[in-house]
Amino acid sequence: MNFPRELVEAVRRHQVVPFVGAGISMGVKRGMFPSWPRLLEGLSERMQEESLPESAIQEVNQRIAQGDFLTAAELAFKDLGAYRFNRFLRERFRVRKPSDADLSVIHALWKLQPPVVMTPNYDDVLLWGREDAEAVSNDQDDELNLMDAEASPETPRVWYLHGTVHRLSTLVLAGADYKRLYGDGTQPTGYSQYTNALVRLREWIRSKPFLYMGFSFSDPYVLKQLEHVIGITRGRQMPSFALMKKGTIDRGALWPKYNIQLVEYEDHGAPLAEFLRGLEAAAFGPKRVSLSMETEALSFGVTPAPPQSMSPPIPGPAPVAPTPEALPIVARPALEQDYTRILQGQHRLVLLSPEDGGTRALARRVAARYGNRVTWLAPPNVPDCTEAEYCRALAGDDAGANTVTSFDALVEHLRAKAARMGREHLIILRYEWGPFDHLTALGRHLRRMMDEPSKVQFHFLIAGGERSAWLLHNMQSFSVFKDAPRREVPDLTVDEVRQFLDSGGHGGARWARELHEATGGHPGLLREVMITDGALDAESITGKLVRGPSLRGAVLECLREDERNGYTGERGCQSVLTKLLDGQRVEDLEPLDHRVEYPEVRLYFAGLVRSDAAGRTVPRCKAVEQVAREVLARKDVRP
């Protein structure tokens, strides 16, 4: 058996956090626990048994057919009421351990000696394999605060991220529950009960490698829900890992966007248990188990070398796997010079692009021109956090960060840091939403830093997508965001795709044009297809993108976001996609000026449409057209 070295080292150091999905529980005994669709179908059947209106039952069934499981659960909860809904869940998940349960995978998992196992499941399966483990839910602030100090391989915890069936009030099942835990753009006041859990979850994902198992990452719905969590792993040095049955999904579907390395096993059940026992032996045992060099060889054109020895790994620092950002990128010196010139002359700039469209890569290259005179600000997307918590998070790991408890203190902290370095100082804001009141105050204080006399000249670079575009048109006048110069990061050209291919040892001259056609020059799609094996012709690449979760998840999320916000008819993305697939013309992007109230703009920032040479809004590539047709065929058409 071969195992990534970084994973083995993380297990040995008791740093790995297993994140266990429903597939593991379902494997304990066939038919004992339902899948997501079967659970919701059972709710629909219960609604029929309770003689609820046929129209309500049809709506739930329709949502299930569309794959919109959260909304289906939300509707069932409203119609059944809390008592009947919770009783149904108790019947499905609160079961005793059967005498014929196969716990081989569970026992093998606990043999990895993790201090904490995290799960979105509601059942007791993990506790069946380790009865002395302590169950912790999101509303138990004291227990969450003590986990880092008290959880250990000898006294482990099971963190029920979505609640436990023994305490039904903790369950996160319906759409409102997910929003309350993970947050969204509206930031309602009801978030406070989960703030501590969210803060700790995000800190763990930032600092610990996760081991995902029992998830169907090929399911775009599941992937989109987990994106609240795994999306913030981008840019970390330490990768996470996903255990998947061989042939389930391409490696490129997870690595470029989520920094999750795919680790394959032969089959579910006994082969998975044997795989975990082999991982245990590689980390702790005397057996001679080989370590895979795949982690070190993820960059393009590199063939993993055979191990020098079959002896057990030597303890010590593990090689660091390349992050998605470390994969070959295209140098775009003309753009970098243009952006630097704007910063030098106007002191601020907003860079906009579709998701994974290259904004952050260009921001890093512009930052390199300032040497060490750079500060990165990442506003925390933590609901209901205080001003002190917000500002401390912005100060990051800087010396004296604990004393930064207000925006005024943050300004002084940034000024002092810049003064120690001298000359010009670049502040880069990586905006990913967050409490709007705090963001308004931050924009106002950064504008004050730019305008007030200072020995150091501050420059502000805001790198983002749809949410940053929204700020440009909705922020108060006295703000670093308001009326700032902006540039749209262009798609890669055919020649730039050729450079990308050549830098990875592939035939740029042979494949650049086909790869550009199949991805529309989108850097994220380019990396997704290039990190997997297979042919590079346009037809093969289109097939990869259609089968993968990235584009399908983007289309589904656009449709669901519009529904949540009440965008219907001409205001909805569904209308625009339908027209494009019918060959009709829709609004051109350039005159819309990145105003996200237009569906064309939202589709642009999702990476699904672009402007062609004539300025017309068109689907990004053939894969988008195919995915959109399949998704819309399952989506009910609403006025």
Side-chain angles (χ1 to χ4, degrees):
M1 295 183 185
N2 293 326
F3 306 98
R5 184 183 300 272
E6 189 69 41
L7 174 59
V8 173
E9 293 291 343
V11 171
R12 178 184 292 125
R13 295 192 296 264
H14 307 296
Q15 289 182 337
V16 75
V17 179
F19 197 99
V20 179
I24 301 301
S25 293
M26 293 170 63
V28 168
K29 182 179 180 180
R30 186 178 181 86
M32 185 167 59
F33 294 114
S35 63
W36 253 107
R38 186 67 194 98
L39 174 67
L40 294 167
E41 288 167 0
L43 279 169
S44 173
E45 293 166 3
R46 181 60 55 89
M47 292 171 69
Q48 289 179 324
E49 294 170 3
E50 299 293 349
S51 299
L52 294 177
E54 188 63 30
S55 59
I57 298 171
Q58 289 178 357
E59 176 74 2
V60 170
N61 290 336
Q62 187 177 61
R63 298 293 182 166
I64 297 171
Q66 295 165 5
D68 191 357
F69 299 145
L70 281 188
T71 303
E74 190 84 39
L75 293 170
F77 178 83
K78 289 179 180 178
D79 287 308
L80 283 168
Y83 177 81
R84 292 184 293 190
F85 185 87
N86 289 337
R87 185 173 62 181
F88 173 84
L89 293 181
R90 185 183 287 109
E91 293 170 0
R92 294 299 188 272
F93 293 104
R94 194 171 181 175
V95 299
R96 295 181 181 274
K97 180 175 69 175
S99 58
D100 58 347
D102 179 4
L103 297 179
S104 58
V105 172
I106 305 300
H107 289 145
L109 171 63
W110 282 115
K111 288 289 187 180
L112 299 180
Q113 304 178 32
V116 176
V117 176
M118 190 178 297
T119 181
N121 302 343
Y122 314 125
D123 55 67
D124 294 333
V125 167
L126 288 168
L127 298 177
W128 292 348
R130 184 72 187 259
E131 294 182 358
D132 63 335
E134 180 180 339
V136 180
S137 294
N138 290 335
D139 62 340
Q140 297 176 280
D141 284 350
D142 291 340
E143 285 76 6
L144 289 172
N145 291 333
L146 290 171
M147 270 202 299
D148 283 318
E150 296 189 352
S152 70
E154 294 75 31
T155 58
R157 306 293 195 270
V158 176
W159 182 357
Y160 283 92
L161 185 64
H162 291 171
T164 168
V165 73
H166 294 285
R167 298 172 60 232
L168 294 173
S169 63
T170 66
L171 293 187
V172 174
L173 176 62
D177 298 323
Y178 273 91
K179 292 178 183 178
R180 189 164 65 253
L181 174 59
Y182 295 116
D184 68 358
T186 60
Q187 301 293 346
T189 57
Y191 278 52
S192 57
Q193 73 178 100
Y194 290 148
T195 298
N196 189 31
L198 182 63
V199 170
R200 186 161 302 279
L201 174 63
R202 294 193 168 190
E203 173 60 25
W204 278 30
I205 290 179
R206 186 191 68 81
S207 60
K208 300 175 184 289
F210 276 43
L211 179 62
Y212 298 97
M213 52 193 302
F215 288 106
S216 176
F217 283 99
S218 60
D219 182 336
Y221 169 78
V222 173
L223 186 62
K224 195 60 188 180
Q225 295 309 313
L226 289 175
E227 190 171 334
H228 288 286
V229 180
I230 63 182
I232 60 175
T233 62
R234 287 175 289 183
R236 289 171 51 246
Q237 292 301 305
M238 187 179 295
S240 285
F241 303 88
L243 298 186
M244 301 288 291
K245 179 182 175 181
K246 280 187 176 179
T248 302
I249 194 172
D250 287 336
R251 179 168 55 124
L254 296 176
W255 177 254
K257 188 173 184 179
Y258 303 112
N259 199 25
I260 295 179
Q261 180 180 340
L262 179 65
V263 181
E264 296 184 314
Y265 55 87
E266 288 295 334
D267 203 353
H268 303 309
L272 174 56
E274 182 62 26
F275 181 91
L276 292 173
R277 286 192 286 268
L279 179 57
E280 175 205 356
F284 305 118
K287 296 181 180 179
R288 295 173 178 266
V289 182
S290 66
L291 296 182
S292 170
M293 300 303 291
E294 181 180 337
T295 301
E296 292 88 345
L298 282 172
S299 56
F300 301 123
V302 179
T303 302
Q308 295 293 321
S309 170
M310 296 297 286
S311 60
I314 300 174
V320 176
T323 65
E325 288 83 353
L327 297 173
I329 60 175
V330 177
R332 311 180 82 176
L335 292 178
E336 297 164 28
Q337 292 171 7
D338 180 44
Y339 300 156
T340 303
R341 178 184 56 79
I342 294 172
L343 287 168
Q344 296 287 333
Q346 302 187 53
H347 311 306
R348 54 183 178 150
L349 172 64
V350 178
L351 284 185
L352 300 172
S353 78
E355 185 176 359
D356 295 321
T359 301
R360 290 193 176 98
L362 278 166
R364 285 192 298 274
R365 295 180 71 86
V366 170
R369 295 170 176 252
Y370 286 76
N372 66 341
R373 295 172 287 109
V374 178
T375 296
W376 292 80
L377 296 181
N381 185 11
V382 178
D384 286 352
C385 65
T386 65
E387 178 180 339
E389 292 168 338
Y390 191 86
C391 292
R392 276 198 298 268
L394 287 174
D397 298 326
D398 291 349
N402 288 337
T403 65
V404 179
T405 58
S406 67
F407 286 105
D408 287 333
L410 177 65
V411 168
E412 294 308 313
H413 173 79
L414 294 174
R415 287 191 185 280
K417 178 181 178 180
R420 290 193 298 270
M421 298 177 180
R423 298 188 297 166
E424 298 170 328
H425 193 89
L426 177 64
I427 294 180
I428 301 179
L429 184 66
R430 292 180 57 177
Y431 173 58
E432 296 290 351
W433 207 253
F436 184 74
D437 290 344
H438 293 332
L439 190 65
T440 301
L442 176 62
R444 187 171 64 250
H445 281 77
L446 293 181
R447 177 63 181 266
R448 194 184 85 196
M449 289 180 63
M450 184 181 75
D451 292 343
E452 289 180 349
S454 172
K455 293 180 181 179
V456 177
Q457 181 66 64
F458 287 98
H459 300 157
F460 298 90
L461 179 60
I462 298 141
E466 177 183 342
R467 290 167 174 170
S468 294
W470 182 89
L471 284 175
L472 293 176
H473 300 288
N474 294 276
M475 188 56 71
Q476 296 175 359
S477 58
F478 188 75
S479 171
V480 74
F481 304 102
K482 191 65 175 179
D483 299 324
R486 60 186 180 274
R487 290 292 185 272
E488 177 186 321
V489 177
D491 295 327
L492 298 177
T493 64
V494 174
D495 186 60
E496 287 171 332
V497 173
R498 180 189 59 77
Q499 295 176 42
F500 183 91
L501 289 171
D502 287 342
S503 67
H506 298 273
R510 170 67 180 86
W511 299 112
R513 191 166 297 280
E514 293 210 43
L515 191 58
H516 183 271
E517 175 189 342
T519 62
H522 186 278
L525 295 181
L526 183 68
R527 289 184 296 171
E528 181 175 329
V529 298
M530 286 304 300
I531 203 169
T532 59
D533 299 325
L536 296 179
D537 61 281
E539 183 177 355
S540 297
I541 293 170
T542 296
K544 284 185 184 181
L545 293 176
V546 170
R547 292 189 301 271
S550 180
L551 288 179
R552 193 173 303 273
V555 172
L556 283 168
E557 181 60 17
C558 283
L559 298 179
R560 289 171 181 156
E561 182 181 6
D562 281 1
E563 189 164 317
R564 290 194 296 267
N565 294 325
Y567 297 148
T568 59
E570 295 296 318
R571 300 182 65 204
C573 292
Q574 180 171 283
S575 173
V576 173
L577 289 173
T578 301
K579 289 180 180 179
L580 288 174
L581 295 178
D582 290 342
Q584 300 179 39
R585 183 157 189 164
V586 300
E587 295 287 343
D588 295 340
L589 291 171
E590 185 173 351
L592 297 182
D593 191 30
H594 299 107
R595 292 185 178 273
V596 299
E597 59 265 31
Y598 292 95
E600 291 86 353
V601 176
R602 295 195 295 277
L603 288 169
Y604 162 76
F605 280 117
L608 299 173
V609 301
R610 60 181 177 85
S611 295
D612 65 7
R616 292 169 55 110
T617 300
V618 297
R620 173 163 294 282
C621 54
K622 289 184 178 179
V624 169
E625 294 185 36
Q626 291 187 32
V627 169
R629 289 188 189 280
E630 293 176 8
V631 170
L632 291 179
R634 300 181 61 193
K635 191 80 178 174
D636 60 314
V637 179
R638 294 171 180 258

